[in-house]
Amino acid sequence: MIITLSFLGFLLMFVLIGVSSVWFSRHTRHDYYLASHSMPPWLVALSAVATNNSGYMFIGVIGYTYTVGFAAVWLMTGWILGDFVASLLIHQRLRLAAGASGEGSYAGVLSHWSGGSGHRHLQIVASLISLLFLLAYAGAQLLAGGKALHVLFDWPQWGGAVMGAVMVVAYCFAGGIRASIWTDAAQSMVMVVAMGLMLVVATAAIGGIDGAMIRLQAIDGFLDISPGDMFLPGLSGVVLFTVGWMFAGFSIIGQPHIMVRFMTLTESGSMIRVRCWYYGWFIIFYCMATGVGMLSRIYLSDPGSFDAELALPTMALELLPPVLVGLVLAGIFAATMSTADSLVLSCSAALTHDLLPHRIEKTWLIKIATVLMTGLALGWALFSKQTVFSLVIMSWSGLGSAFGPLMLVLAFGARPAQRTLIAMALTGFGTALVWRWLGWHEAVYEGMPGILAGLL
């Protein structure tokens, strides 16, 4: 009962924060999707990093670290480096292009980047690709929330997914992207507290850092620096693995639900302050998540007896008092919802702004589209047989490979023909999907060949 009350208390706080944004809404399409370019740097940063990390960090990365061991740190290193390079090259240019074009969606800005009336066919193709992968991505977030509630409350997994969908609709209905950003900021704070709490308690319970290292060394191969199944042996394999995941981090420029955050910034000149907030939070949280993932192998020593993606909520039940279990669960749910609402809004924008022949301006029709997208994402969560990690990585690599090459050439002044841009997008995501289908992603992250193929 205490766990339930603690959990519901935090969820109620998030919903109230999101709903309160209705008092600041201007009730226009542009405000619903871009908050009228009024967001300060710290809110943009916390929202973007919370959306980026999502249930993938709480559920997927911890499960991956539990399985792979210390070598998972190279995934983290590559991802953050690639993300930082992308920020230096693209983010400010995207904000300038968004302001100049007056478009309200990521695909709209891409298609109008070169000025003029834009590329209508490119906008349609980009929105269709967005819808496909963003719905899969949103389904993964709802699935992550369902998994957490299944472990902690023994609820059926569909129950948590439905609860998450209801929350997404509630604060998307209230204020669109503004409600999403506000709740993201609150959720990001809970996420850091929850992960830090788990790391401190788990380390103390095992006798400190020295005790943890002794126990981890006893697990065969767990502290090896090289991930298994490398294309190349030894250090060369580690370098190739890390470079591959740099492309994963760089693929952030192809994620509409994250990049739209930077499009809401008050002015493009504030990007340095955004980076300070963003990367400080990102590095701290990623290090803590990797640490918790490694410690979970000590407490849950039989990897064949349970789903590795349930490591964090299972540890919380074993180590924490009921009130704090509710806090950790709220952190997990906060992470999944901070991404799910962003994904649903991007799907809604793709439909109402990009796909339909006449853009919908009435906010009540836009909100109906939001409900429709939430329902489709929920259906994906309920009927998908894939893990959270695989769903997120597949969606992330598909979007990054489709739009990353386009973003690069447009940001640096090239103006290819519309058919060339479409061919780049189709080649990029097609290469990434085939690479994963062949199983080669175990050696090299599929976003690397996808992005390079699109550029070629």
Side-chain angles (χ1 to χ4, degrees):
M1 177 62 71
I2 296 177
I3 295 176
T4 305
L5 291 176
S6 174
F7 168 65
L8 293 177
F10 278 103
L11 288 190
L12 179 61
M13 178 188 72
F14 296 140
V15 172
L16 290 177
I17 290 173
V19 170
S20 66
S21 69
V22 71
W23 303 108
F24 296 83
S25 174
R26 301 180 187 179
H27 304 290
T28 65
R29 173 182 56 81
H30 199 71
D31 191 73
Y32 188 79
Y33 288 136
L34 290 180
S36 301
H37 301 299
S38 63
M39 291 293 105
W42 70 273
L43 270 179
V44 169
L46 290 183
S47 175
V49 78
T51 301
N52 192 348
N53 287 281
S54 68
Y56 156 77
M57 187 74 75
F58 272 99
I59 300 297
V61 166
I62 289 179
Y64 178 75
T65 305
Y66 175 91
T67 304
V68 173
F70 176 79
V73 73
W74 303 120
L75 186 156
M76 175 186 76
T77 303
W79 193 297
I80 293 178
L81 285 175
D83 189 295
F84 182 69
V85 172
S87 176
L88 292 177
L89 296 178
I90 300 298
H91 291 24
Q92 187 170 3
R93 291 180 170 92
L94 175 66
R95 171 61 183 86
L96 289 170
S101 68
E103 290 292 311
S105 72
Y106 177 86
V109 172
L110 271 183
S111 65
H112 288 76
W113 198 307
S114 57
S117 59
H119 297 308
R120 177 59 181 161
H121 292 148
L122 172 62
Q123 189 169 358
I124 292 174
V125 170
S127 60
L128 288 173
I129 294 173
S130 297
L131 273 178
L132 173 64
F133 287 110
L134 290 174
L135 284 174
Y137 203 157
Q141 305 312 309
L142 298 177
L143 177 62
K147 281 190 171 187
L149 292 183
H150 174 67
V151 170
L152 288 164
F153 297 144
D154 199 27
W155 292 357
Q157 289 194 14
W158 64 264
V162 170
M163 177 182 289
V166 171
M167 283 185 60
V168 167
V169 169
Y171 46 72
C172 283
F173 242 67
I177 192 70
R178 181 178 286 104
S180 179
I181 289 175
W182 284 15
T183 53
D184 283 350
Q187 289 162 352
S188 67
M189 298 172 190
V190 173
M191 288 161 66
V192 168
V193 171
M195 192 66 79
L197 180 66
M198 281 300 307
L199 183 63
V200 170
V201 171
T203 303
I206 209 167
I209 296 176
D210 292 338
M213 291 301 298
I214 292 172
R215 296 281 294 275
L216 290 173
Q217 287 172 351
I219 303 174
D220 184 39
F222 196 74
L223 294 182
D224 291 349
I225 66 168
S226 177
D229 301 324
M230 287 293 93
F231 184 73
L232 297 174
L235 182 60
S236 57
V238 170
V239 172
L240 182 61
F241 181 85
T242 304
V243 170
W245 283 100
M246 282 184 65
F247 277 84
F250 189 80
S251 294
I252 189 174
I253 63 175
Q255 313 303 316
H257 60 292
I258 299 176
M259 296 307 290
V260 73
R261 262 82 185 137
F262 301 106
M263 291 162 59
T264 67
L265 188 62
T266 50
E267 54 185 27
S268 60
S270 303
M271 200 59 69
I272 292 178
R273 282 183 286 165
V274 172
R275 290 192 192 106
C276 290
W277 281 96
Y278 181 90
Y279 290 105
W281 193 99
F282 199 172
I283 292 171
I284 291 171
F285 188 69
Y286 218 144
C287 289
M288 291 194 299
T290 301
V292 170
M294 295 182 68
L295 291 175
S296 68
R297 189 62 181 269
I298 297 174
Y299 290 95
L300 310 168
S301 57
D302 184 5
S305 63
F306 80 113
D307 184 350
E309 291 194 334
L310 301 179
L312 179 63
T314 304
M315 279 181 65
L317 282 174
E318 292 190 4
L319 296 175
L320 299 178
V323 172
L324 297 184
V325 172
L327 172 63
V328 171
L329 177 59
I332 298 173
F333 225 75
T336 60
M337 293 309 103
S338 69
T339 301
D341 67 338
S342 308
L343 292 159
V344 166
L345 281 173
S346 292
C347 290
S348 177
L351 176 64
T352 63
H353 185 87
D354 302 318
L355 278 178
L356 296 180
H358 300 288
R359 295 175 181 174
I360 295 177
E361 298 290 340
K362 295 181 178 179
T363 54
W364 67 271
L365 287 175
I366 293 174
K367 291 176 180 180
I368 290 176
T370 302
V371 174
L372 174 62
M373 293 299 106
T374 305
L376 291 175
L378 178 60
W380 201 305
L382 296 179
F383 297 106
S384 173
K385 301 300 181 184
Q386 293 180 276
T387 64
V388 172
F389 188 82
S390 62
L391 271 174
V392 168
I393 294 302
M394 179 193 71
S395 303
W396 186 277
S397 62
L399 289 166
S401 299
F403 301 137
L406 276 67
M407 185 75 75
L408 277 172
V409 299
L410 291 171
F412 284 93
R415 296 294 178 259
Q418 178 175 211
R419 62 183 180 183
T420 303
L421 292 169
I422 293 173
M424 290 172 66
L426 296 178
T427 300
F429 93 85
T431 300
L433 291 182
V434 170
W435 193 274
R436 172 166 279 269
W437 178 71
L438 292 173
W440 296 347
H441 63 286
E442 298 290 346
V444 177
Y445 170 71
E446 65 265 28
M448 179 176 175
I451 291 174
L452 293 177
L455 287 173
L456 289 173

